[in-house]
Amino acid sequence: MSILAIETSCDETAAAVLDGFDRVLAHEIFSQAGIHSEFGGVVPEVASRNHLEFLPRIVDLARSTAGVDFTELDAVAATTGPGLAAALLVGASAAKGLALGAGCPFLAVNHIEGHLLSPFFGEAEIPPHIALVVSGGHTLLFDVQAFGRYELLGRTRDDAAGEAFDKVAKMLGLGYPGGAEVDRLARSGNPSRFDLPRGMMESGDFHFSFSGLKTAVRIFLEKGFSEADLPDICASFQMAVVDVLVAKAFRAAKARGRSIVSMSGGVSGNTCLRSAATARAEKSGITLRFAPDGLRTDNALMIAYAAAHHLAAGHRHPVSVDITPNFDPAALCI
Ligand code: KG4
Ligand code: ZN
């Protein structure tokens, strides 16, 4: 079962070929981050134009690395949403054309499902668990019964966790996207030096809010800070985000009687999140699953893996299926 998958929902132009659930034949990514960094964020029109320019090369590279002919493929998949409309259209249209040309099924994959399943990459069964998807665009908490059976428990009311990292990084002059840089600086910082708000920590639900924290950091910075304070500011901000993410994910596991918690998306690579979640998991007897290296930030392999589950479940999608730029829980959840 060889699947070619294409991902172009934001600023990564990616293609992958997966055989079955676990045999990686190709995993190619062209990150446009360097192109968008001069604008301080992703410019949709620029992303779209670059997908158009680079996707043919990335797909051809994936195909030749995999050593398969298009006619040997069992399916061609693409992310059809959520994401930037003009960016999604490029990858989805290319995948539809390739599927038609190869005479194989087309599979429309939800980007969030790609992230959500990535911690189980290689496995044919998805166990019941609580899934935290933390990326630049989303902060979502799900109760997962099995593949295709997702119940959305909570989501951010405003900024996504990664967005908060990127905005704080920008205020600190650390470039875009700055999440990883905040993480790096925080390693030598004191997380309890500055007392910052833990948004919605005691809200009694599984929703999140990070804009109050971002504003608190801004007001604090406006009073003036020195270069030497940077590690402590990063560590204190990061701890405030992580405290809420970990608390809500593990409370959800307790409330739903789940023994596994998974974390995926770009922010799941955060050092502080990983160590806080690991400590909490050990204390509460929960098994923690993280998206593996290379599958945390946007990539096509997680889309191919989700597509492999769809193919195994007998799903096929018509090429007339449209893109869905907005996140629609109803389209994904039970
Ligand atoms: O999953 P992803 O590629 O984005 C979306 O699908 O939206 O994740 C990118 C996000 C960015 O906001 C980036 O700053 C953040 O993940 N990120 C991090 C780290 N590495 C990437 N945030 C905190 N700590 C990190 N180590
Ligand atoms: Zn993503």
Side-chain angles (χ1 to χ4, degrees), residues 114-177:
H115 278 302
L116 189 155
L117 298 177
S118 63
F120 301 93
F121 183 82
E123 298 170 31
E125 295 292 328
I126 303 298
H129 69 283
I130 295 295
L132 177 70
V133 179
V134 265
S135 69
H138 303 276
T139 301
L140 301 162
L141 194 60
F142 295 94
D143 183 19
V144 179
Q145 280 176 30
F147 164 70
R149 314 270 303 162
Y150 319 116
E151 182 186 347
L152 183 64
L153 298 177
R155 61 195 295 187
T156 181
R157 293 288 187 214
D158 37 61
D159 292 347
E163 197 178 350
F165 266 95
D166 293 339
K167 285 177 178 170
V168 166
K170 203 168 170 178
M171 291 180 219
L172 297 171
L174 301 177
Y176 175 87

Side-chain angles (χ1 to χ4, degrees), residues 78-82 85 88-89 92-93 96 106-110 317-326 331:
T79 305
T80 50
L88 288 166
L89 269 177
S93 306
K96 289 173 184 177
F106 167 70
L107 293 168
V109 176
N110 187 293
H317 302 129
V319 289
S320 57
V321 70
D322 209 352
I323 56 157
T324 48
N326 295 324

Side-chain angles (χ1 to χ4, degrees), residues 132 165 191-192 194-202 208 210 213 235-251 263 270 272-273 276-277 280:
L132 177 70
F165 266 95
S192 35
F194 303 112
D195 188 22
L196 293 165
R198 269 73 175 153
M200 295 185 74
M201 181 65 126
E202 301 307 331
F208 304 91
F210 297 107
L213 170 61
S236 302
F237 158 75
Q238 184 173 272
M239 201 67 239
V241 175
V242 166
D243 274 351
V244 188
L245 292 176
V246 171
K248 298 231 169 178
F250 283 82
R251 276 182 211 162
M263 297 189 178
N270 183 268
C272 177
L273 175 62
R280 184 69 172 262

Side-chain angles (χ1 to χ4, degrees), residues 7 9 111 115 135-136 138 265 296-298 302:
E7 154 66 41
S9 67
H111 184 80
H115 278 302
S135 69
H138 303 276
R296 284 193 288 269
T297 50
D298 290 350
M302 69 181 191

